[in-house]
Amino acid sequence: MAAAVEPPLNLGIHEGTMVKRIIDMTPQEREVYYKAVALKAKEHLFAIGQPWVYEKNGQVLAEYADGRIEIID
């Protein structure tokens, strides 16, 4: 008898919001899309109490919802 297989984690249902595939977008449309996705991710991180971490001018920065920015690298 084979061992029982664990079911995959239930990560919830994710529904995309794209109306056009990235490959079909013009460079201008992709730029707008990428900025919107970054903003949505930043807002989500702030909502769960996490900083937005990014690299700028060779430094790794953590930006917090209160506007504080810390150099972490």
Side-chain angles (χ1 to χ4, degrees):
M1 181 174 220
V5 176
E6 291 290 325
L9 293 175
N10 181 2
L11 299 176
I13 296 173
H14 177 74
E15 184 176 323
T17 58
M18 293 179 64
V19 294
K20 187 186 258 189
R21 297 181 325 159
I22 291 175
I23 197 163
D24 295 330
M25 292 180 184
T26 65
Q28 295 81 11
E29 289 172 325
R30 279 194 299 272
E31 183 178 343
V32 169
Y33 172 74
Y34 291 141
K35 286 180 181 179
V37 167
L39 179 60
K40 190 172 184 177
K42 186 176 179 179
E43 289 172 348
H44 174 72
L45 287 169
F46 288 170
I48 62 171
Q50 297 295 308
W52 174 249
V53 179
Y54 58 96
E55 185 269 335
K56 184 175 181 180
N57 299 327
Q59 295 180 313
V60 178
L61 307 171
E63 181 178 338
Y64 295 86
D66 63 5
R68 179 173 37 105
I69 297 176
E70 294 180 359
I71 299 171
I72 58 174
D73 183 49

